[in-house]
């Protein structure tokens, strides 16, 4: 969701903030803004659109100062306008605030502030914060005390960074259920929603805990307090250098680069600590019940994980969409293991479910790509995907790593060789790209596209449809092949494209019959299989891989299909409209 960065140091803040903001843009990109404390006054520039637009708007504006904040927005409350872009200022212009999250009691707070004479300029929930802070500071509180007071007044979830002209050399930071890190440099410090924002200048960081407040100046000491005002000794950790500046290399987009990285990244799931892996497996074997909890693409990985646990370990489990965890929450108790899967490790829906599981005594084991992350910290044990930074908003290489790692967890023997075979198959399946471009050309004008799969192919049907929706903005539906005749078949018209995921396993003939039902009604069939069939109008031949890993291989042409359809339709592939890479609000 929104990207936050604050800087306090001995160099001009504006260029450093801008650079950090560019790296945070994946979090939200409907508008952006910057504020610098310039000789006792706050200078603000805000713009609707991308960070490039903000940069253009900054040209020629005096933004001199060693302290400042910057923000990329993903709108929740209030439309996409310059007024609603962050930073937001208090009435007297002495306080500026950037925020990620949702202030649930903003209407009530706003009413009370307006009654006291405060004037609001935006429709956002965020704007209550600078007005409240202005009042606290006017009453004589120092920054830390004001932060503690503020966190007692605010309901909801937030990562907040503020500056005040009264304390021109410090940043105030506050966190509750939204990511926020402090970067500790030499003579300069940062507060950001992601270490990516500052990792080119320092790899030392403090991961703020929920319900903490921090006051950050340019010295080595950072003051961290609990929401009750008690000082906390904060641990400084090193952030991985794989976070270093993402580079598109010779690719046109990050998304296609990440698709092509998969033969390499999938192999890195083998780099696991043996003890952690053993603990993970033992927890599953001893569990009374197991739930997978995840959202979006990670949920589709969980669906495959469920099949792996069942077939390879004889463990029954359930897969639950994270935002629907309440339907099983009553089972989160001792003896339950929750497997949380998340690329970012910051998805609010996942963290909420995990929070409930922990509170009730369940064990939480997780698969996560970004580290450090809140999910990793909230897990009894976390396995790392090691897929490297995924910049494209659409999940690609993280999915293949999740599935390969789940397979590894569930299968103790010979998995190393099988992962190597998978890598070879991924290398080879990428050569389908020229054919996939032709299929993309053929489907790009379609009203609807359907994806059908059975068994191991079903989660991939869902994922193929999700990719096409989010990248190409085409309506797509993934279906369990057998469900077609129970309703959706009515939607098939002459020329409707159907992508049939059809591995040559026990589901082959039945899936083929479902394809025939569509063909008989005029549909166009795109077969994704190791074996050709007369039924297919287009045949994307995929190479052989171990049976349970076939979904990973079949997924690649579907990722390519979504990517190339999006390109042909001139969609913003790396940053699809309305979406954000890390969904930190509920
Ligand atoms: C789809 C996509 C999203 C994420 C979902 C969960 O391409 O990227 O559906 O999979 O928001 O994100 P994580 O895995 O970070 O929890």
């Amino acid at each position: 969701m929104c990207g936050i960065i604050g800087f306090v140091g001995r160099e001009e803040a504006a260029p450093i903030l801008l650079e950090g903001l560019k790296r945070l843009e994946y979090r939200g990109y409907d508008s952006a803004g910057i504020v610098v404390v310039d000789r006792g006054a706050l200078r603000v520039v805000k713009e609707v659109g991308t960070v490039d637009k903000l940069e253009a708007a900054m040209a020629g504006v005096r933004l001199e100062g060693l302290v400042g904040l910057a923000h990329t927005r993903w709108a929740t409350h209030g439309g996409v306008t310059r007024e609603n872009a962050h930073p937001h200022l208090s009435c007297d212009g002495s306080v500026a605030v950037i925020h990620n999250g949702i202030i649930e009691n903003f209407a009530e707070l706003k009413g009370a502030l307006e009654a006291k004479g405060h004037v609001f300029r935006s429709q956002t929930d965020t704007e209550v914060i600078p007005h409240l802070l202005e009042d606290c500071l006017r009453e004589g509180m120092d920054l830390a005390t004001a932060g503690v007071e503020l966190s007692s007044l605010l309901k909801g979830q937030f990562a907040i960074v503020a500056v005040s002209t009264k304390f021109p050399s410090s940043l105030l930071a506050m966190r509750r259920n939204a990511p926020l890190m402090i970067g500790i440099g030499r003579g300069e410090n940062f507060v950001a929603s992601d270490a990516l924002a500052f990792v080119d200048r320092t790899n030392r960081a403090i991961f703020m805990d929920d319900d903490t407040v921090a006051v950050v100046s340019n010295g080595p000491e950072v003051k961290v307090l609990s929401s009750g005002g008690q000082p906390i000794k904060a641990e400084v950790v090193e952030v991985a250098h794989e976070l270093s500046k993402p580079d598109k290399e010779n690719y046109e987009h990050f998304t296609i680069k990440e698709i092509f990285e998969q033969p390499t990244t999938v192999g890195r799931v083998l780099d696991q600590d043996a003890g952690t892996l053993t603990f993970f497996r033992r927890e599953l074997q001893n569990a009374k019940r197991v739930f997978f909890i995840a959202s979006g693409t990670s949920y589709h990985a969980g669906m495959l994980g469920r099949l792996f646990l069942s077939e390879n370990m004889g463990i029954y489990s359930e897969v639950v969409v994270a935002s629907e965890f309440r339907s099983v929450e009553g089972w989160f108790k001792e003896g339950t293991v929750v497997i949380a899967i998340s690329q970012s490790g910051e998805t609010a829906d996942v963290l909420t479910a995990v929070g409930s599981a922990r509170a009730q005594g369940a064990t939480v084991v997780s698969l996560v790509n970004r580290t450090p992350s809140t999910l990793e910290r909230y897990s009894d044990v976390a396995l790392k995907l090691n897929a490297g930074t995924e910049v494209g908003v659409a999940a690609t290489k993280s999915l293949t790593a999740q599935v390969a790692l789940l397979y590894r967890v569930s299968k103790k023997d010979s998995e190393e060789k099988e992962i190597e075979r998978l890598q070879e198959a991924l290398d080879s399946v990428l050569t389908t790209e020229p054919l996939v471009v032709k299929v993309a050309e053929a489907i790009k004008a379609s009203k609807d596209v359907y994806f059908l799969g059975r068994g191991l192919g079903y989660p991939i049907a869902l994922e193929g449809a999700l990719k096409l929706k989010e990248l190409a903005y085409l309506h797509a539906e993934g279906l369990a092949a057998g469900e077609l005749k129970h309703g959706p078949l009515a939607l098939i018209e002459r020329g409707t494209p159907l992508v049939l995921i059809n591995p040559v396993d026990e589901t082959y003939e039945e899936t083929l019959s479902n394809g025939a039902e569509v063909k008989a009604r005029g549909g166009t069939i795109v077969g994704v299989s190791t074996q050709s069939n007369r039924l297919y109008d287009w045949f994307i031949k995929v190479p052989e891989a171990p049976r349970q890993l076939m979904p990973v291989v079949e997924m690649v042409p579907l990722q390519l299909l979504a990517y190339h359809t999006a390109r042909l339709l001139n969609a913003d592939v790396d940053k699809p409209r309305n979406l954000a890479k890390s969904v930190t609000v509920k």
Side-chain angles (χ1 to χ4, degrees):
M1 303 278 102
C2 305
I4 287 186
I5 175 170
F7 171 80
V8 46
R10 294 176 186 152
E11 288 176 44
E12 285 300 327
I16 295 171
L17 289 169
L18 194 65
E19 177 58 32
L21 207 57
K22 285 182 182 165
R23 294 167 181 222
L24 288 182
E25 205 179 8
Y26 75 87
R27 299 182 67 89
Y29 31 79
D30 60 40
S31 48
I34 187 166
V35 59
V36 166
V37 187
D38 184 352
R39 299 174 184 86
L42 298 182
R43 300 211 182 271
V44 181
V45 181
K46 307 204 248 189
E47 200 51 76
V48 169
T50 59
V51 176
D52 287 345
K53 296 241 172 72
L54 175 71
E55 188 170 15
M58 283 163 65
V61 178
R62 198 185 86 178
L63 280 170
E64 290 170 4
L66 312 180
V67 180
L69 313 173
H71 187 270
T72 57
R73 180 166 187 247
W74 185 86
T76 55
H77 288 66
V80 180
T81 62
R82 187 178 289 146
E83 293 69 40
N84 288 338
H86 299 213
H88 289 286
L89 265 61
S90 61
C91 288
D92 66 3
S94 68
V95 171
V97 166
I98 53 176
H99 164 228
N100 170 32
I102 293 176
I103 305 301
E104 286 165 5
N105 58 338
F106 86 96
E108 183 191 324
L109 292 169
K110 186 171 175 178
L113 284 159
E114 280 176 333
K116 282 166 81 180
H118 285 273
V119 178
F120 282 73
R121 302 181 189 100
S122 77
Q123 288 80 50
T124 64
D125 53 335
T126 302
E127 202 188 338
V128 296
I129 306 167
H131 292 288
L132 287 170
L133 192 53
E134 179 190 286
D135 279 1
C136 291
L137 298 177
R138 193 176 291 143
E139 282 170 28
M141 293 182 204
D142 62 17
L143 266 187
T145 316
V148 169
E149 172 67 11
L150 210 54
S151 82
S152 72
L153 296 172
L154 300 176
K155 293 202 178 115
Q157 49 163 155
F158 47 79
I160 295 168
V161 195
V163 286
S164 157
T165 53
K166 268 196 162 182
F167 300 94
S169 320
S170 299
L171 306 172
L172 170 66
M174 300 161 57
R175 171 189 163 133
R176 183 184 299 154
N177 294 331
L180 202 58
M181 309 194 68
I182 304 171
I184 311 289
R186 285 173 192 272
E188 63 184 34
N189 292 320
F190 296 81
V191 182
S193 36
D194 187 327
L196 205 55
F198 54 72
V199 79
D200 61 326
R201 298 185 69 97
T202 178
N203 67 345
R204 299 176 67 237
I206 293 172
F207 199 99
M208 281 183 75
D209 278 323
D210 283 330
D211 289 306
T212 57
V213 171
V215 176
V216 183
S217 54
N218 64 10
E221 292 304 317
V222 169
K223 189 172 186 175
V224 184
L225 303 172
S226 69
S227 56
Q230 303 306 315
I232 294 175
K233 194 163 164 27
E235 189 196 351
V236 179
V237 295
E238 275 197 16
V239 292
H241 14 250
E242 57 98 356
L243 287 176
S244 58
K245 192 169 180 168
D247 183 0
K248 269 193 267 193
E249 292 164 14
N250 291 326
Y251 291 93
E252 194 181 340
H253 297 102
F254 281 108
T255 305
I256 189 72
K257 176 184 170 233
E258 287 157 8
I259 291 173
F260 270 81
E261 271 173 5
Q262 292 176 110
T264 313
T265 52
V266 90
R268 287 201 226 116
V269 301
L270 293 171
D271 301 341
Q272 300 296 334
D273 173 64
T276 311
L277 209 51
T278 309
F279 179 87
F280 202 107
R281 287 188 183 124
R282 208 174 33 229
E283 286 299 315
L284 293 180
Q285 268 147 354
N286 296 336
K288 289 202 183 110
R289 56 198 82 76
V290 176
F291 293 105
F292 284 91
I293 299 277
S295 306
T297 292
S298 299
Y299 171 78
H300 299 150
M303 290 175 75
L304 287 166
R306 176 177 192 261
L307 295 173
F308 298 163
L309 253 53
S310 169
E311 289 185 17
N312 303 341
M313 298 178 91
I315 294 173
Y316 173 79
S317 60
E318 278 210 42
V319 200
V320 184
V321 171
S323 56
E324 288 295 327
F325 77 96
R326 290 205 169 82
S327 63
V328 295
E329 192 180 23
W331 296 99
F332 288 172
K333 44 190 164 189
E334 240 168 273
T336 296
V337 172
V338 165
I339 307 178
I341 309 175
S342 173
Q343 187 285 129
S344 61
E346 301 294 350
T347 300
D349 290 327
V350 175
L351 295 177
T352 308
V354 160
S356 162
R358 275 157 55 93
Q360 295 177 71
T363 300
V364 176
V365 296
S366 63
L367 272 71
V368 62
N369 193 35
R370 291 300 306 275
T371 61
S373 66
T374 308
L375 179 58
E376 190 188 3
R377 290 162 64 82
Y378 285 2
S379 304
D380 293 279
V381 64
L383 290 177
K384 302 196 176 90
L385 300 179
N386 299 322
T389 306
E390 191 173 68
V391 178
V393 163
T396 52
K397 61 178 181 173
S398 60
L399 170 83
T400 50
Q402 285 165 343
V403 178
L405 188 51
L406 286 165
Y407 178 76
R408 230 199 131 191
V409 165
S410 71
K411 225 170 171 237
K412 240 173 99 192
D413 305 317
S414 72
E415 83 274 355
E416 199 150 324
K417 273 211 184 75
E418 293 180 344
I419 301 286
E420 279 163 15
R421 276 182 60 204
L422 173 64
Q423 287 185 283
E424 282 161 25
L426 288 176
D427 254 329
S428 142
V429 78
L430 284 164
T431 61
T432 59
E433 190 183 25
L435 171 64
V436 173
V437 174
K438 289 187 190 150
V439 179
E441 189 67 58
I443 68 160
K444 73 173 191 210
S446 306
K447 192 160 57 74
D448 315 286
V449 181
Y450 296 91
F451 291 75
L452 231 59
R454 229 171 234 271
L456 290 160
Y458 174 39
I460 292 311
L462 296 179
E463 177 63 9
L466 177 62
K467 288 286 94 94
L468 197 61
K469 280 186 255 200
E470 65 177 333
L471 287 180
Y473 318 148
L474 273 189
H475 173 250
E477 254 190 76
L479 296 163
E483 279 297 287
L484 190 70
K485 57 190 177 292
H486 296 292
L489 197 54
L491 295 165
I492 303 298
E493 295 171 357
R494 181 148 301 282
T496 305
L498 175 94
V499 180
L500 199 69
I501 296 123
N502 204 7
V504 184
D505 62 14
E506 68 286 357
T507 63
Y508 181 74
E509 292 297 341
E510 286 169 350
T511 310
L512 207 57
S513 303
N514 300 129
E517 289 154 16
V518 172
K519 180 97 175 185
R521 284 154 183 91
T524 301
I525 313 291
V526 182
V528 178
S529 182
T530 49
Q531 194 172 293
S532 170
N533 192 281
R534 281 178 31 218
L535 188 77
Y536 306 148
D537 297 284
W538 296 92
F539 172 48
I540 301 176
K541 183 171 170 54
V542 295
E544 303 267 0
R547 186 185 74 90
Q548 289 179 340
L549 291 173
M550 280 309 291
V552 180
V553 181
E554 291 150 359
M555 190 55 230
V556 174
L558 306 194
Q559 292 169 344
L560 289 169
L561 183 63
Y563 172 79
H564 283 291
T565 311
R567 249 186 100 251
L568 292 169
L569 295 172
N570 291 323
D572 188 345
V573 184
D574 282 339
K575 294 183 203 137
R577 67 183 181 206
N578 306 339
L579 302 180
K581 181 77 187 154
S582 179
V583 186
T584 56
V585 293
K586 288 189 256 172

